[in-house]
């Protein structure tokens, strides 16, 4: 959900906005009242509402404000006793007969953003029918009472860590990991996963070194995003000691970052293929593979090799989570670093994802770099993937650009014939040589147009990227 002026609307994962500009206490009250109106139609008030928050500036105060609104409206509220990962509060929403949870987070966004999302009692992201109902309530939420006199018995705190960790250990072969005696570097990136992922690593007998395991609302001057430049310190530490792997998560602990023993940051697409193969070969599991429209097609090839169903969803883990609740899913994932597996909650979990990589190493005794190469080769790779972001804050230009691609699509891109065009929530070009390209606006409040592409050679990747940059700039220049 993003905000534009006085308009508050859902994006791919809740409402996000700039703190003090549009993410204000007044707007938090407004959205909380709208959520409360929806809750009255879906749950009885004998079920508590849970609230979690990340490490951002004022996130805990926003959470308390929401708690007071809900308590004043007759709900019992339980707030996490400290910042906690999204998958942790989602697990509790599912496990403990709640009316769902509110999570205050802007995930990997810059530190001046905050956000709020509602997590229903199934423990995964709210689907569009739920978020549409909440948004429909926003304009009428002004008439609902605000903060009043709240009894202490209506709001309490709880520690979500023990029950979540107990559950997480059921998803892992703890003894196998213990026997491997892995050496791990872990960069918490000032995030909610500190005190969680390091506790799991210690429980699994790993020798660990931890970085940035304290709250910093400015995230060290960077972003809580486990990619690229934000992992430089982790990469250097892994290279220096030749440890088995490096781990990181994003700000709310639902996305993963992995560094192999050589100091290479492995793309999430590679990790998805590696973990899928690990679950199939080493753990003997089966089920469908689900990926978002912008995620590698190597998963399609791996699914075909093992006779598994493959489902493609729109961008947003809510769609993957929905498929996980509908059918038997082995693994669901997206290129941005979100993953969940069979038997887990239908929500992405960076803590679980990191530990599954450790488990894969423990099962095989092979270096992570070798496991990655073997997984890519078995899935018919290598392929070459790239994401391009174009700053384009004007909503009308984004809309016009998308319409132009849909209504007058190119017949070729970088000299390669466009065989098929798919227009759902994005534009996806399928090229004659097996390459594909996706164009879509950012769904997380950032003023960006995003382009994703995958092809079979680095030369083609460069040419396709250049062609798309020219096309985007040309269309944006004439869009009105």
């Amino acid at each position: 959900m993003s905000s534009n002026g006085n308009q508050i609307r859902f994006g791919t994962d809740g409402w996000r906005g700039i703190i003090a500009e549009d993410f204000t206490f007044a707007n938090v009250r407004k959205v909380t009242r709208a959520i409360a109106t929806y809750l009255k139609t879906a749950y009885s008030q004998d079920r508590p509402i849970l609230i979690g928050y990340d490490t951002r500036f004022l996130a805990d105060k926003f959470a308390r404000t929401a708690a007071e609104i809900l308590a004043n409206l007759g709900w019992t509220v339980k707030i996490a006793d400290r910042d906690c990962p999204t998958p942790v509060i989602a697990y509790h929403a599912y496990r403990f007969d709640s009316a769902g949870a509110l999570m205050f987070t802007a995930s990997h966004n810059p530190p001046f953003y905050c956000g709020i999302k509602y997590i229903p009692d199934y423990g995964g992201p709210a689907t569009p029918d739920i978020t549409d109902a909440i948004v429909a309530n926003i304009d009428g939420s002004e008439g609902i009472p605000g903060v009043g006199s709240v009894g202490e018995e209506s709001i309490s705190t709880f520690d979500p860590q023990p029950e979540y960790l107990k559950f997480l250990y059921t998803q892992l072969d703890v003894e196998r990991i213990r026997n491997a005696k892995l050496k791990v570097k872990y960069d918490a990136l000032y995030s909610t996963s500190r005190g969680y992922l390091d506790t799991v690593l210690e429980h699994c007998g790993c020798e660990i070194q931890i970085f940035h395991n304290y709250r910093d609302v400015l995230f060290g001057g960077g972003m809580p995003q486990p990619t690229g430049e934000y992992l430089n310190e982790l990469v250097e530490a892994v290279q220096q000691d030749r440890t088995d792997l490096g781990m990181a998560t994003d700000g709310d602990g639902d996305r993963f970052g992995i560094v192999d023993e050589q100091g290479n940051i492995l793309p999430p697409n590679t990790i998805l293929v590696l973990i899928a193969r690990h679950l199939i070969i080493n753990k003997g599991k089966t089920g469908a593979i689900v990926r978002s429209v912008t995620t590698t097609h190597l998963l399609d090839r791996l699914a075909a090799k093992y006779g598994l169903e493959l489902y493609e969803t729109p961008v947003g883990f809510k769609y993957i989570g929905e498929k996980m609740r509908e059918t038997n899913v082995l693994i669901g994932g997206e290129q941005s670093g979100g993953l969940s597996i069979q038997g887990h909650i239908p929500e992405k979990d960076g803590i679980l994802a990191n530990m599954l990589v450790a488990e894969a190493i423990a099962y095989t005794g092979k270096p992570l770099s070798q496991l990655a190469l073997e997984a890519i080769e078995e899935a018919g790779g290598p392929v070459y993937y790239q994401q391009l972001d174009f700053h384009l804050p004007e909503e009308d230009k984004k809309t016009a650009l998308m319409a132009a691609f849909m209504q007058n699509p190119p017949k070729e891109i970088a000299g390669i014939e466009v065989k098929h065009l798919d227009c759902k929530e994005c534009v996806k070009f399928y090229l004659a040589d097996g390459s594909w390209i996706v164009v879509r606006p950012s769904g997380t409040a950032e003023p960006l147009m995003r382009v994703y592409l995958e092809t079979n050679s680095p030369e083609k990747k460069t040419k396709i990227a250049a062609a798309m940059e020219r096309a985007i700039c040309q269309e944006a220049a004439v869009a009105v």
Side-chain angles (χ1 to χ4, degrees):
M1 189 163 55
S2 62
S3 48
N4 182 11
N6 292 323
Q7 184 183 15
I8 296 173
R9 57 187 177 83
F10 276 78
T12 53
D13 201 15
W15 165 46
R16 294 181 193 173
I18 296 174
I19 299 169
E21 181 175 300
D22 44 13
F23 202 92
T24 62
F25 284 98
N27 276 341
V28 165
R29 293 185 185 101
K30 184 184 293 186
V31 173
T32 302
R33 293 182 191 117
I35 292 172
T37 300
Y38 164 76
L39 292 175
K40 285 182 66 176
T41 70
Y43 302 98
S44 63
Q45 288 196 309
D46 61 347
R47 299 174 70 170
I49 299 172
L50 312 181
I51 298 183
Y53 54 91
D54 69 9
T55 59
R56 291 169 183 275
F57 177 63
L58 291 179
D60 53 340
K61 303 299 189 294
F62 289 130
R64 180 70 192 189
T65 295
E68 291 173 355
I69 290 284
L70 292 167
N72 195 47
L73 293 171
W75 295 92
T76 299
V77 184
K78 297 180 180 294
I79 307 180
D81 61 355
R82 53 149 279 194
D83 57 87
C84 75
T86 290
V88 173
I89 202 73
Y91 169 71
H92 282 269
Y94 162 72
R95 174 68 178 81
F96 294 102
D97 197 29
S98 74
L102 277 63
M103 180 67 191
F104 284 83
T105 179
S107 187
H108 64 287
N109 284 158
F112 48 84
Y113 279 89
C114 197
I116 177 176
K117 57 184 176 182
Y118 170 66
I119 303 169
D121 65 345
Y122 52 73
T127 49
D129 59 313
I130 296 174
T131 55
D132 288 349
I134 292 171
V135 170
N137 295 331
I138 288 176
D139 288 340
S141 67
E142 294 291 357
I144 300 174
V147 177
S149 177
V150 180
E152 288 298 318
E153 71 281 358
S154 299
I155 303 175
S156 61
T157 60
F158 76 107
D159 180 2
Q161 190 213 51
E163 290 294 335
Y164 167 79
L165 293 186
K166 187 188 302 181
F167 169 66
L168 185 72
Y169 297 143
T170 69
Q171 308 294 301
L172 301 168
D173 191 333
V174 172
E175 285 306 313
R176 182 89 62 159
I177 301 173
R178 282 176 177 165
N179 291 336
K181 302 186 183 305
L182 299 177
K183 295 182 178 180
V184 180
K185 307 290 187 184
Y186 161 48
D187 192 340
L189 291 177
Y190 317 99
S191 74
T192 59
S193 67
R194 72 199 198 290
Y196 283 86
L197 184 49
D198 45 333
T199 299
V200 175
L201 287 165
E202 289 171 352
H203 178 78
C204 291
C206 299
E207 179 184 321
I208 63 173
Q209 181 182 3
I210 312 171
F211 305 91
H212 309 129
N213 60 333
Y214 56 92
R215 185 187 182 198
D216 177 358
V217 298
L218 297 178
F219 300 109
M223 287 169 59
Q225 182 165 307
T227 59
E229 62 184 292
Y230 308 113
L231 294 182
N232 285 341
E233 189 171 345
L234 180 63
V235 167
E236 291 174 6
V238 169
Q239 289 175 328
Q240 180 176 342
D241 292 346
R242 296 289 288 186
T243 49
D244 294 295
L245 77 160
M247 298 179 175
T249 70
D250 70 340
D252 65 327
D254 64 357
R255 300 188 190 194
F256 61 86
I258 295 290
V259 176
D260 72 14
E261 82 287 350
Q262 297 176 359
N264 301 306
I265 301 173
L266 297 184
N269 279 329
T270 297
I271 297 300
L272 291 176
V273 177
L274 186 155
I275 291 177
R277 181 173 180 263
H278 163 61
L279 295 175
I280 295 167
I281 294 178
N282 297 328
K283 303 192 79 173
K285 294 183 178 294
T286 188
I289 294 177
V290 184
R291 61 160 178 79
S292 68
V293 67
T294 55
T295 301
T296 180
H297 286 202
L298 288 177
L299 289 169
D300 305 46
R301 302 179 194 176
L302 192 71
K305 179 179 177 64
Y306 287 99
L308 306 179
E309 291 287 336
L310 187 287
Y311 296 99
E312 179 180 272
T313 72
V315 172
F317 208 86
K318 56 191 171 187
Y319 299 107
I320 294 174
E322 185 175 28
K323 184 59 69 174
M324 291 182 71
R325 292 184 289 117
E326 293 173 353
T327 191
N328 179 33
V329 170
L330 172 69
I331 185 172
E334 51 189 7
Q335 97 298 328
S336 57
L339 172 154
S340 189
I341 64 169
Q342 185 182 89
H344 201 60
I345 54 173
E347 174 63 278
K348 54 186 181 287
D349 188 339
I351 300 168
L352 171 69
N354 276 294
M355 291 308 302
L356 286 171
V357 175
E359 185 183 68
I361 297 171
Y363 261 85
T364 62
K366 296 178 180 179
L368 180 54
S369 60
Q370 183 178 342
L371 289 180
L373 288 173
E374 289 177 0
I376 295 300
E377 182 179 1
E378 184 168 1
V383 293
Y384 299 87
Y385 185 97
Q386 187 170 354
Q387 176 180 327
L388 305 168
D389 290 340
F390 299 93
H391 188 79
L392 198 65
E394 302 90 345
E395 287 296 327
D396 56 345
K397 284 195 173 185
K398 292 180 186 177
T399 302
L401 191 150
M402 293 295 288
F405 278 125
M406 293 178 186
Q407 296 166 9
N408 188 29
K411 293 182 171 55
E412 58 84 21
I413 297 174
I416 308 169
E417 180 188 359
V418 176
K419 293 287 289 184
H420 177 61
L421 181 69
D422 189 3
C423 299
K424 293 174 184 173
E425 53 91 40
C426 62
V427 178
K428 187 166 188 175
F429 302 98
Y430 295 84
L431 307 189
D433 67 342
S435 305
W436 58 265
I437 306 158
V438 168
V439 182
R440 62 180 293 272
S442 170
T444 57
E446 297 163 293
L448 302 172
M449 285 295 296
R450 300 192 188 277
V451 174
Y452 311 81
L453 65 94
E454 185 172 77
T455 188
N456 57 14
S457 79
E459 294 78 18
K460 285 184 183 178
K461 185 186 78 168
T462 300
K463 290 179 180 178
I464 293 172
M468 291 308 300
E469 182 173 2
R470 289 193 298 271
I472 293 283
C473 293
Q474 179 179 336
E475 292 292 351
V478 301
V480 294

